[in-house]
Amino acid sequence: MADRTGADLVVERLRAWRVPRAFGYPGAAIAPVVAALDASGGDPEFVPARHEETAAFMATGHAKFTGEIGVCLATQGPSAVHLLNGLYDAKLDSKPVVAIIGEDISGPLGAAHEEIGLSRLFGDVCQFVRYGRAPDQVPAVLDQAFRTAAATRSPTAVVLPRDVQLARVPDLLPQTAGIVSATPGEPLARVLPHAADLDAAASVLGTGQRVAILVGQGAHGAADEIVALADRLGAGVACSLLGKPVLDERLPFHTGVLGEVGTTAAARLMGSCDTLLLVGTNDPWVDYFPVPGQTRTIQIDIDGRRIGTRYPVDVPLVGDAVETLRALLTRVPGRRHEQWRGMVESSVDRWRAEAAERAAVPAEPINPQLVLQELGTRVPRSGALAVDVGSVLYWYARHLELPPGVAAQLCGTLGSMGCALPYAVAAKLARPDRPVIALLGDGAMQFNGLAELITVAHHWRQWRDPRLVVLVLNNRDQSGIGGGRTLTDELADRRPDVPYAGWARLLGLHGVRVDRPELVGPAWDEVLAADRPSLLEAVVDPAVPLNPPEPALADLRGLFADGDAARRVRERMLANRVAVEAEDLV
């Protein structure tokens, strides 16, 4: 067998780790790896993005939608810098991504063109940064990167000099001292809390009179267990933004998303409960948590470092959500509190009526809440949604109740604009047989969406189901905030208008522009039935208020009738928020 190159070894290890595709932007320093991928017959496939940042978002989106390890490629210098935003998204939302960076420095260090200290550059965002200094090191260093990414649910980076990628290697690699050519590992081991901790948690839940469960992304796959526990206790359920797809939001006791972007029902639940169970969540909306001391709290998380970082915890349970909840169900007595459950369900009914009223309020020309409300009854049951940052996030959180089976992802902790369309591309490439919908504002569309629509146009003919629908809420509001800003602010920040639907048609896609409320529903029907990817441009009113719900303090049902007492509790909540934000900055 002919000698291989270091680049061929990269492809072999990606194949061994069952990586279906790598996202990147080609350049000279990574060109040998790209060439080897092109010669691999699509196993794995190289997907060129229009920018390295969107390539990193695609890799993170792949990890989010599939649960697999995402891979992105870049070269040294500014190309590597551009990866950081997507990698920080992976770090903060705990997703495994491996970045492979090519380096081509032939001159003295410190004097080369496009030279940046890559170890320091990636040292904060990646727990693992390694160089492959010789071709026979490539398999081992890549295996270590993949193992670390999987074990820590975080991004890692491997730097490969161009001459290493080009170097010839024998068919049988020598076992150099200190270098072990490893093989891909098996799934991570089960993690279950100690029996004594489970017993303590069951005791707290069993004695609670008003139990609330807050569900995060770490609870994926545990829907049946959460519903069973909630029914056994008569508990109410709320979710974080990242936890929104975990449960059927149409359940009568599901109060919706918690936080500034969330619902009044979720805020009331937190304000009235006496027992709180946190399942796989690190939700940052601490202002909306119960006042410290109001509840007895249990937290389940696979990562013990996260327990108690947002809110005081009485019983920590380090373990897998499904396994831990099943163990709790065998211990928690059936004490369903009907009065509390009735209060929760009445609060949910009031919120749903309020949401419908908000969406029906006339606006000029269209109320953006109506656009998401109309989508709610039309979301394909096998579909996937990618959501961007800005006012569209508020409308998604409140007005789009996700049915079971619909995957939805967003840049939850980093909150970076421009994630939705790269996510959607990754989701569609991973499952070309299912429809995908991207929800974004005109700011995100101008940020990178216009360019990545070219990527969609390049790939769509290979998809079994050609539907990838891009919603652009065109409110011409530069701030990304919307909702009752002053006229002076609006005029100062207003961005140039772009014919978004026309751009889609220019690329050979389907484009629809709607500026009348009665046409919103038919417009959704049209784009969801199209025989190719579509862009729905909805011209919406930037003055529609965001109306964040009042924090939990406002719903303690008269517990603090005294104004001074309420002021003192509000001060404690503010101090708690400042402490958490300060910890995040360290």
Side-chain angles (χ1 to χ4, degrees):
M1 180 177 178
D3 286 351
R4 298 161 294 169
T5 66
D8 293 325
L9 296 180
V10 173
V11 172
E12 289 177 13
R13 296 324 293 162
L14 296 182
R15 194 175 289 160
W17 280 91
R18 297 180 290 277
V19 173
R21 62 193 56 86
F23 305 92
Y25 192 90
I30 199 67
V33 170
V34 172
L37 286 167
D38 287 342
S40 70
D43 181 22
E45 174 188 14
F46 174 64
V47 179
R50 313 275 74 79
H51 192 280
E52 295 90 351
E53 179 175 303
T54 53
F57 273 133
M58 289 176 187
T60 301
H62 177 86
K64 290 186 175 185
F65 277 105
T66 66
E68 301 168 356
I69 300 175
V71 175
C72 55
L73 309 177
T75 64
Q76 66 197 43
S79 179
V81 172
H82 291 158
L83 291 179
L84 291 179
N85 211 32
L87 294 180
Y88 270 107
D89 177 22
K91 176 183 179 179
L92 296 183
D93 280 355
S94 300
K95 300 302 174 186
V97 172
V98 174
I100 302 174
I101 302 99
E103 187 176 65
D104 188 9
I105 297 176
S106 56
L109 292 177
H113 180 59
E114 293 188 342
E115 181 190 347
I116 290 177
L118 296 177
S119 293
R120 294 187 65 183
L121 179 70
F122 291 103
D124 179 62
V125 68
C126 296
Q127 293 192 31
F128 177 99
V129 184
R130 295 290 188 276
Y131 276 75
R133 296 298 189 184
D136 57 357
Q137 297 175 7
V138 169
V141 75
L142 282 174
D143 284 348
Q144 291 169 8
F146 274 90
R147 289 183 188 281
T148 303
T152 62
R153 296 169 298 279
S154 67
T156 61
V158 173
V159 183
L160 297 177
R162 191 171 190 272
D163 58 0
V164 171
Q165 300 172 49
L166 291 171
R168 311 300 294 187
V169 295
D171 185 36
L172 295 176
L173 293 176
Q175 291 297 316
T176 307
I179 303 298
V180 179
S181 184
T183 55
E186 296 300 322
L188 298 178
R190 293 174 57 199
V191 181
L192 192 64
H194 292 293
D197 296 326
L198 290 167
D199 290 340
S203 176
V204 170
L205 291 171
T207 56
Q209 300 295 309
R210 302 187 302 276
V211 180
I213 303 174
L214 180 60
V215 175
Q217 65 166 340
H220 276 289
D224 291 344
E225 289 76 13
I226 293 169
V227 170
L229 185 60
D231 280 340
R232 182 170 297 183
L233 298 170
V237 174
C239 65
S240 69
L241 267 172
L242 291 172
K244 187 174 168 71
V246 172
L247 290 181
D248 183 355
E249 290 192 281
R250 299 168 301 180
L251 291 168
F253 54 87
H254 195 316
T255 62
V257 173
L258 179 69
E260 183 177 310
V261 301
T263 73
T264 57
R268 293 189 189 108
L269 177 72
M270 291 295 113
S272 304
C273 67
D274 65 7
T275 306
L276 177 60
L277 173 61
L278 306 172
V279 185
T281 180
N282 197 32
D283 198 314
W285 298 108
V286 294
D287 281 3
Y288 290 85
F289 279 49
V291 176
Q294 172 190 327
T295 66
R296 299 185 69 191
T297 303
I298 302 145
Q299 184 172 0
I300 301 172
D301 204 292
I302 190 68
D303 190 342
R305 295 172 299 179
R306 293 205 179 96
I307 291 182
T309 60
R310 300 293 187 188
Y311 189 75
V313 172
D314 296 286
V315 184
L317 296 177
V318 179
D320 301 307
V322 173
E323 301 276 3
T324 302
L325 287 167
R326 286 176 180 169
L328 280 176
L329 281 167
T330 66
R331 291 168 162 84
V332 174
R335 295 178 180 173
R336 182 182 171 95
H337 299 283
E338 297 291 351
Q339 184 178 7
W340 168 242
R341 173 59 74 84
M343 290 174 55
V344 171
E345 293 184 357
S346 295
S347 179
V348 171
D349 290 341
R350 290 198 303 273
W351 159 249
R352 287 175 177 160
E354 179 184 346
E357 291 173 2
R358 291 186 184 185
V361 172
E364 183 58 40
I366 296 176
N367 186 334
Q369 298 169 105
L370 174 67
V371 180
L372 274 297
Q373 191 94 345
E374 289 286 349
L375 172 61
T377 59
R378 295 172 168 86
V379 176
R381 293 300 183 265
S382 61
L385 284 92
V387 189
D388 221 290
V389 172
S391 59
V392 68
L393 192 60
Y394 286 73
W395 316 137
Y396 157 77
R398 298 171 185 164
H399 296 279
L400 192 59
E401 290 186 341
L402 297 178
V406 174
Q409 296 293 344
L410 48 90
C411 185
T413 311
L414 181 64
S416 177
M417 184 172 69
C419 61
L421 198 46
Y423 279 10
V425 170
K428 193 65 180 180
L429 291 173
R431 286 285 306 276
D433 59 332
R434 71 176 177 184
V436 175
I437 302 172
L439 309 176
L440 55 159
D442 51 347
M445 195 63 191
Q446 290 190 25
F447 191 67
N448 59 28
L450 292 171
E452 289 307 330
L453 209 59
I454 299 172
T455 306
V456 175
H458 177 69
H459 285 277
W460 75 267
R461 288 177 177 83
Q462 305 167 23
W463 298 337
R464 189 180 313 166
D465 184 329
R467 291 177 294 172
L468 190 158
V469 178
V470 180
L471 169 69
V472 179
L473 292 181
N474 185 5
N475 67 2
R476 293 124 11 241
D477 182 6
Q478 178 98 20
S479 72
I481 299 173
R485 301 170 66 245
T486 68
L487 180 60
T488 303
D489 288 338
E490 283 187 37
L491 293 176
D493 292 341
R494 189 167 294 230
R495 65 171 58 88
D497 205 358
V498 172
Y500 302 101
W503 172 239
R505 290 192 292 269
L506 187 63
L507 294 174
L509 309 178
H510 189 61
V512 177
R513 186 177 190 270
V514 60
D515 58 6
R516 292 165 53 191
E518 67 271 18
L519 298 180
V520 171
W524 274 119
D525 292 333
E526 180 177 342
V527 295
L528 286 169
D531 63 352
R532 63 194 61 208
S534 304
L535 187 147
L536 173 57
E537 177 187 353
V539 184
V540 297
D541 191 342
V544 173
L546 300 178
N547 288 332
E550 288 292 325
L553 174 64
D555 294 290
L556 291 178
R557 298 175 296 140
L559 184 59
F560 297 105
D562 176 16
D564 289 338
R567 176 182 51 77
R568 288 193 297 272
V569 173
R570 187 176 289 109
E571 289 172 352
R572 288 170 59 193
M573 293 176 67
L574 178 60
N576 186 37
R577 181 185 69 185
V578 170
V580 170
E581 291 175 348
E583 180 181 338
D584 288 344
L585 291 173
V586 172

